[in-house]
Amino acid sequence: MENVMTKTTRRRHRTAHSSKVGTAGRIRLYLLMAITISIILTGFFFAARQHFESIDYSIRNSSLRRQLDDLENEKRRLIAARERSASPAEIRKAVSRVRTTPSINNDIHLATDIRRPDSDEKRAPFIQKTAIISPKAAEIIPAGYSVPQQRSKPSDNESKPETQPSKSR
Amino acid sequence: MQVAFTRYMFIVAIFGLWMLVISARLVHLQVTQHEWLLDKAVDQRQDVKSSKLLRGTIYDRDQRPLAISLKVKTLYADSLEIADVKAAATVIAKAVDLNVGTLTKQLTEAKAARKRFVPLLQKVDSETVQKLNKLLETDNVRKGDLPKFEGLHWSDDQTRNYPYGSMASQVIGFSDIDGKGMAGIEQSQNDLLYGSTLKKRQERDRLGRIYDETVSETTPPADVTLTIAASLQSKTEQALENGVKNANARSGVAIAISPKTGEILALANYPSFDPNSVSSSAVENIKNYAIQSVYSPGSVMKLVTYSSALEKNLFEPDDMIDAGNGTIEVAKHKFSDSHHVGAVTYTQALAHSSNVCAIKTGLRVGKADFFSTLTKMGFGSKTGVELPAETNGIVRSPEKWNGDSLASMSIGYEIGVTALQMATAFATIANNGIKVNPHVIKQTKRENEAAIITAVKAGVVVVSPDSARKLRTMLRQVVLTGTGKRAQLNGYTSAGKTGTAWKFDPVAKRVDSGKYISSFIGYAPAENPEVVIAVVIDEPRAGGTDGGTVAAPVFREIAEQILPELGIKPDSKITKGSEPALIDVPESPGLVAEDDRDKSERADPASAARTPAPARPTFNKSDELKKKTDKKDRPEKKQGNDTTAMLEVRERNKLNARSLKT
C-alpha cells in the first residue's frame, strides 16, 4: 500500500514537474526544428536557383556560340563577295556594262541642256549664303580634323601597296 | 481499447503495404530497369551531332582568298514526323517553290519506306534560310530547332567558292562535292585542306534547347598561302590571252618566277576554266600545260649548249665562229640557219640564233658534258613543284642517242621539256648559275598554330658564276640586236632567248612542219634579274610563227606590268610611245624539211626563202681572222667528236618519231 501510494505520489509529482519542463522543452525543440528546416529549405532554394540559372546561362551560351558561328560564316560570305566583286573578271564586266548603258548618253545630253539664265535677268547665286549678321559670326569653328600623317612603309605582313600605274607606252 | 488498437494497426498495415508497394516499384525502376531508363533519359537529353569542319582556305601571297568554303544548309524532311503529308507538301511546295505533286509523291514514298532524310533544298545560303524559316513558321508547333514546321529540319553543309573565277584555276584546282581535291593545290594539299568531321555532344532541355555542348578534339584543317599574287596573275593571264588571240594560236602558257627564291609569282594557261562550274568546262582546259605538257623547246635549248661550252672554257663570248654557208650535216642529217651569218662572234651567233653555230658548239662540248649540264639544269626530272601530275619531260640517256642526237639536242630537238623546266633553267642562269627549285606554296597555317613557311632549299650550283655572267651578256644581245628585239622593255633592260620549233604530231608520228611551238624565255632587269618570264605559244597561225614575233611581245607586256608592281626601279630610259622593235629575220626551226632538201643542197637555206637575207654583219675578214676561225675549227676535227664517229644512215622523220616516243 505504501509503495502504491508512493508510486502514485511519485507519479503525480513527476507529472506535475514534467509538464512544466515538457512545455518549455517542446517549444525549444520546435523552434530548433523550425530553424533547421528553414536553413535546409533556404539551402535547397539557393541550390535550385543556381541549377536553373546555370542551365539558363548554358542555353544562352550555346545560342551565343551559334550566333558567333553565324557571324563568322557571314564574315566569310562577305569576304568572298568582296573578293568576287574586286576580281578582274567582275571589274571588266562592270566596265562593259557601264559602256553599253545608254543612260549615260542621256545624262550627257541633260547636262548640256541646262538653260542658262539671260544676261539681263538677275542671276540667282549658286551658293546660298547663310544669314550672317556680323563678321564675327562667320568665324570658322575647327572640326577637330587634322591633315593625315604621311603613311609609313607597310611591313611584310601587311598587304602590298596599290600598284603604280604602268609606265608602258 | 482493443478495438482502437486494432483499427490503429489496420491503418498502419495499409500504410505499410502502400509504402512497400512504392518501395518495390522504386527498386524495380532504379535497380532492375536502371540501364534502360538511363539510356532513354540520355537519348532524350543528349544528341551527338556530326558536322564537317570547313575546308581550308587557299590564299594568294597578299592573303586574298582564292578558294574559300562557306557554310550552307540543306533542308530535309523527316517523313515519319509528318502526320498529314498532303497538307505539309502544299505548304512546303509554296514556300520552297517546288512542284506540289512531285513533293507529295516523294514524301509519301519516303514515309512508306520509313526514310528519315529526304533532302528538299541543298546549298542554301543563310539569307535564304532566314526567309524560309519565316515562311515555314507555324504557330502551334513547339520545336527546339528551326524551321518551326513539323518534320522539317536543317542540316549543315558547305560549298566551295572561288571568288576570282578562272584566275589561276589550273594552279588552284577544284574539289568535288565530297570536299575532296581533284586538281591543282586542292588535290596536292588535300590532306592539309580537308575538313575533318567534328562531333558535338549536345545536351538539350525538354524544349530542345541546347544547354551543354562538348566538342570532340580533332585536327583543324590548314590554310594554304600561295606564292602567286592575284594582281600579277591577272596581268599575266590578260597578256597571255592577248598574245594567243593575236596569233590565233591554239593555247599558251606563261610563267613568272623569281630566280633568287624560286617563288612562282604567276602561272597562266590559256584557255582556262572556271572552277565554280567545272562541269561546263572543256576537259582539255583543266590540264596544267605548264607542268603536264611536253614540247620540243627549239632554240631556247641553246642556253644549255652555250652554258656547257662556257663551263668547259671552250670559248669566250667575243670569240669568232664560222657558220659557213648556213648548213651543217651531221650523220647525214642536214641542219640549217634561217639566214646567212657567216663568221660571227659567239654572242652574235646566239643573238641571231644560228643553228649551225650552236650545233658546232654542242659537238665540241660532247655527249657526256652536254647530258650532264642537261640533267643538272633539271631536264628529265620533276622540278618538285607542289602541283600534281607533273611530268619528267623526255631526256634520253646518252647510250640511246643516235648519230645526230647531240646536234639535234643542241638546237632543242629530240628532247621534251615542260615550260616550268625551261623557266627554271633560265632562272638558274639569272641566279648566277645556282638552281633554285620552283615552288608555289608560301606557307601553311592551322588555326591557333604558328604558320609553317616553306623553306627555300639551298640551291645547286649548275654552272659557275663566271659562265652565267658571260651567258647573260650573250642573252642580252639577243634582245638588243637579235631575234628577241620585241622583248625590249620600256624603262627596263631585259635579256632572253627566242625559240621556234616544229611541233611533233602524235597521230602521224612525225614532226609537222606546218605547226609551231613559239616561245620566248627571258628575265629582267638584265644586270640583276628579279623575275624570269617564260612564254610558250602553241600553234600560232597568224602574224608570224617564230618566238620573236609571237611570244616576245607577250613577254614584254607581262614584264612591263609586273616589274613596277614588284617595286623594281627602272634601269633604262622610259620613252613614251615607243613602237615594238622590228626583227630583221625571224628565227626558223632549223631542221631542213624533207621536200626542201633538194633546194637546200642547191642554194640558200629553204627557211630563208620568205624574207630577204640581211646584210652580213660587217667585220674585218683579215687573214688573221681567218686563221683564228680556222684554229677554232681544227680542235673540232682533231677531237673527232663522238657523234660524228657514230654515223648511222636514217631518215629524219623516223629519227624524230623514235626519239619523241621514248
Side-chain angles (χ1 to χ4, degrees):
Chain A
M1 202 58 179
E2 262 185 26
N3 288 337
V4 173
M5 283 177 69
T6 312
K7 270 188 193 172
T8 314
T9 314
R10 252 189 255 137
R11 209 183 291 135
R12 219 179 283 136
H13 280 278
R14 229 186 301 152
T15 308
H17 176 69
S18 66
S19 67
K20 282 184 194 167
V21 170
T23 311
R26 252 184 270 134
I27 290 168
R28 262 205 299 274
L29 182 67
Y30 290 151
L31 199 64
L32 194 65
M33 276 172 65
I35 291 167
T36 312
I37 288 166
S38 63
I39 290 170
I40 291 168
L41 283 175
T42 311
F44 274 128
F45 171 75
F46 279 114
R49 203 178 83 155
Q50 229 173 7
H51 170 74
F52 287 111
E53 263 181 12
S54 78
I55 290 182
D56 190 42
Y57 280 129
S58 299
I59 291 169
R60 272 193 239 168
N61 189 19
S62 71
S63 70
L64 281 171
R65 213 182 292 137
R66 215 183 5 248
Q67 222 177 2
L68 190 66
D69 283 344
D70 291 341
L71 287 170
E72 278 288 334
N73 198 47
E74 185 65 18
K75 182 185 161 191
R76 290 171 81 95
R77 194 187 67 77
L78 289 169
I79 288 169
R82 181 193 68 189
E83 294 301 327
R84 205 180 309 119
S85 61
S87 68
E90 283 296 323
I91 291 170
R92 264 183 243 126
K93 276 184 201 170
V95 165
S96 60
R97 251 182 273 130
V98 165
R99 280 184 184 160
T100 54
T101 307
S103 61
I104 288 173
N105 296 328
N106 292 340
D107 288 341
I108 293 167
H109 281 298
L110 281 169
T112 55
D113 259 351
I114 293 170
R115 290 174 65 189
R116 294 187 179 188
D118 294 334
S119 54
D120 294 333
E121 283 176 50
K122 274 188 183 176
R123 291 178 202 178
F126 278 112
I127 300 164
Q128 293 286 333
K129 288 184 182 175
T130 52
I132 297 168
I133 300 160
S134 67
K136 280 183 189 173
E139 203 178 353
I140 295 165
I141 302 160
Y145 175 77
S146 57
V147 175
Q149 296 292 330
Q150 199 172 11
R151 265 195 215 163
S152 56
K153 280 185 185 174
S155 65
D156 286 343
N157 291 335
E158 289 174 22
S159 59
K160 284 199 179 212
E162 287 179 4
T163 61
Q164 293 172 21
S166 174
K167 287 182 181 164
S168 59
R169 55 194 163 87
Chain B
M1 256 323 256
Q2 194 67 29
V3 170
F5 181 74
T6 310
R7 283 176 188 167
Y8 172 73
M9 288 310 292
F10 182 68
I11 292 166
V12 168
I14 290 169
F15 270 113
L17 192 67
W18 180 54
M19 292 301 293
L20 195 69
V21 165
I22 289 172
S23 303
R25 180 67 182 155
L26 282 172
V27 165
H28 173 68
L29 286 174
Q30 292 185 34
V31 176
T32 317
Q33 289 196 316
H34 164 77
E35 290 297 329
W36 179 77
L37 283 170
L38 182 67
D39 290 341
K40 204 168 177 200
V42 164
D43 195 41
Q44 273 180 346
R45 212 177 63 242
Q46 279 185 4
D47 188 25
V48 176
K49 206 172 176 186
S50 296
S51 62
K52 221 162 151 209
L53 287 171
L54 284 178
R55 192 172 170 81
T57 305
I58 300 174
Y59 295 99
D60 81 332
R61 68 186 298 124
D62 299 321
Q63 294 301 308
R64 289 198 181 96
L66 301 174
I68 185 167
S69 284
L70 301 172
K71 271 188 190 167
V72 288
K73 289 192 186 284
T74 295
L75 180 68
Y76 72 94
D78 184 345
S79 59
L80 297 181
E81 289 179 10
I82 300 173
D84 186 350
V85 171
K86 262 189 183 173
T90 311
V91 176
I92 296 168
K94 192 183 173 188
V96 168
D97 195 24
L98 291 172
N99 183 268
V100 179
T102 317
L103 185 61
T104 312
K105 189 185 171 193
Q106 195 181 2
L107 289 174
T108 312
E109 283 171 5
K111 196 163 184 176
R114 298 187 71 78
K115 279 188 187 172
R116 303 206 69 169
F117 184 87
V118 182
L120 303 174
L121 274 185
Q122 288 180 323
K123 312 284 184 195
V124 184
D125 60 271
S126 52
E127 217 177 297
T128 315
V129 165
Q130 284 171 15
K131 277 185 200 164
L132 288 174
N133 284 338
K134 276 186 187 162
L135 287 170
L136 290 167
E137 197 172 327
T138 315
D139 290 329
N140 54 347
V141 168
R142 295 179 84 184
K143 259 178 91 186
D145 64 331
L146 293 168
K148 287 208 182 298
F149 192 95
E150 238 178 29
L152 288 186
H153 305 275
W154 291 107
S155 73
D156 290 333
D157 201 354
Q158 57 180 289
T159 182
R160 196 70 165 160
N161 201 265
Y162 301 91
Y164 285 82
S166 62
M167 196 183 77
S169 51
Q170 283 88 358
V171 175
I172 300 166
F174 61 94
S175 56
D176 65 5
I177 198 163
D178 296 323
K180 194 181 162 194
M182 301 300 287
I185 292 289
E186 293 270 33
Q187 183 184 353
S188 67
Q189 307 303 310
N190 190 60
D191 291 340
L192 284 175
L193 293 166
Y194 190 74
S196 53
T197 306
L198 189 74
K199 281 198 177 157
K200 288 184 199 175
R201 185 177 292 278
Q202 296 170 336
E203 302 238 355
R204 295 173 183 269
D205 66 356
R206 65 181 182 85
L207 295 175
R209 297 176 300 184
I210 302 164
Y211 64 85
D212 193 22
E213 202 172 63
T214 318
V215 177
S216 62
E217 274 190 31
T218 186
T219 315
D223 295 333
V224 176
T225 301
L226 304 180
T227 55
I228 281 172
S231 54
L232 301 181
Q233 178 74 23
S234 159
K235 285 163 184 166
T236 305
E237 286 187 357
Q238 187 61 53
L240 179 65
E241 187 182 339
N242 293 341
V244 170
K245 283 181 175 172
N246 289 340
N248 194 19
R250 194 175 165 205
S251 64
V253 168
I255 303 169
I257 184 170
S258 166
K260 290 171 185 167
T261 60
E263 288 183 346
I264 296 175
L265 304 171
L267 198 157
N269 282 264
Y270 184 82
S272 189
F273 74 98
D274 188 353
N276 289 308
S277 54
V278 179
S279 52
S280 58
S281 308
V283 173
E284 56 268 18
N285 295 350
I286 296 173
K287 189 176 171 184
N288 189 350
Y289 287 92
I291 58 164
Q292 294 173 7
S293 175
V294 166
Y295 70 99
S296 295
S299 295
V300 285
M301 191 49 71
K302 288 170 188 168
L303 180 94
V304 174
T305 311
Y306 285 107
S307 61
S308 47
L310 281 167
E311 195 65 3
K312 281 183 81 171
N313 293 316
L314 293 178
F315 71 90
E316 292 295 320
D318 292 330
D319 288 348
M320 302 302 291
I321 181 167
D322 190 6
N325 63 351
T327 59
I328 185 170
E329 189 174 321
V330 178
K332 296 211 174 176
H333 184 183
K334 270 208 175 108
F335 301 89
S336 71
D337 281 342
S338 56
H339 59 286
H340 287 302
V341 295
V344 289
T345 62
Y346 278 86
T347 304
Q348 287 167 327
L350 181 63
H352 294 286
S353 201
S354 166
N355 298 316
V356 172
C357 295
I359 288 167
K360 282 187 172 180
T361 310
L363 293 174
R364 287 178 68 194
V365 169
K367 264 168 66 169
D369 290 327
F370 186 86
F371 182 74
S372 167
T373 310
L374 259 184
T375 49
K376 274 192 204 172
M377 285 247 180
F379 297 106
S381 57
K382 294 179 187 174
T383 60
V385 73
E386 309 94 326
L387 293 167
E390 186 186 8
T391 178
N392 290 334
I394 302 168
V395 175
R396 294 178 302 146
S397 57
E399 302 84 56
K400 293 179 184 172
W401 291 9
N402 307 308
D404 57 353
S405 291
L406 180 57
S408 296
M409 284 188 184
S410 300
I411 59 168
Y413 286 95
E414 286 197 37
I415 184 170
V417 301
T418 64
L420 187 60
Q421 283 174 338
M422 280 310 318
T424 306
F426 272 77
T428 304
I429 299 302
N431 194 29
N432 283 326
I434 299 169
K435 178 172 155 277
V436 182
N437 286 335
H439 59 277
V440 77
I441 293 178
K442 195 171 166 71
Q443 68 177 36
T444 57
K445 189 180 179 306
R446 285 188 204 275
E447 204 181 326
N448 302 325
E449 282 181 22
I452 301 168
I453 298 168
T454 306
V456 178
K457 289 179 192 169
V460 172
V461 176
V462 175
V463 295
S464 64
D466 190 48
S467 302
R469 183 187 52 78
K470 287 173 186 172
L471 191 55
R472 285 204 302 274
T473 56
M474 293 169 72
L475 291 171
R476 177 75 181 125
Q477 286 301 313
V478 173
V479 172
L480 285 178
T481 60
T483 54
K485 281 182 186 172
R486 286 195 172 193
Q488 289 172 12
L489 307 179
N490 195 3
Y492 296 93
T493 55
S494 62
K497 185 70 189 77
T498 55
T500 310
W502 280 322
K503 200 177 165 186
F504 180 71
D505 187 345
V507 174
K509 293 203 173 89
R510 53 179 284 173
V511 169
D512 188 343
S513 58
K515 293 180 182 175
Y516 294 81
I517 296 274
S518 307
S519 58
F520 182 86
I521 306 173
Y523 51 84
E527 288 306 312
N528 185 20
E530 293 287 345
V531 65
V532 171
I533 299 168
V535 179
V536 181
I537 306 289
D538 184 14
E539 290 185 36
R541 291 174 272 235
T545 52
D546 62 293
T549 310
V550 174
V554 181
F555 167 89
R556 179 189 169 130
E557 194 178 335
I558 295 170
E560 282 183 348
Q561 289 186 84
I562 71 175
L563 284 167
E565 195 168 322
L566 289 171
I568 296 160
K569 287 181 186 169
D571 62 343
S572 173
K573 266 188 192 173
I574 300 165
T575 52
K576 285 183 185 176
S578 63
E579 293 297 318
L582 293 172
I583 307 163
D584 293 331
V585 180
E587 191 178 47
S588 82
L591 297 175
V592 176
E594 207 172 328
D595 48 356
D596 287 332
R597 198 173 287 174
D598 292 336
K599 283 184 198 173
S600 68
E601 281 168 2
R602 280 201 304 273
D604 291 339
S607 49
R610 282 181 196 170
T611 51
R616 281 190 181 183
T618 52
F619 55 88
N620 192 5
K621 275 192 184 175
S622 61
D623 289 335
E624 283 175 31
L625 197 64
K626 280 181 188 172
K627 277 180 195 171
K628 204 175 173 184
T629 51
D630 284 344
K631 269 181 193 171
K632 286 279 180 236
D633 286 337
R634 257 182 244 146
E636 213 175 303
K637 287 175 190 171
K638 268 187 187 174
Q639 279 171 10
N641 75 60
D642 298 340
T643 55
T644 53
M646 302 184 315
L647 291 180
E648 289 180 51
V649 179
R650 69 173 68 246
E651 285 186 15
R652 178 182 55 81
N653 287 336
K654 279 183 196 171
L655 173 72
N656 282 319
R658 199 177 305 149
S659 67
L660 285 159
K661 246 191 220 174
T662 51

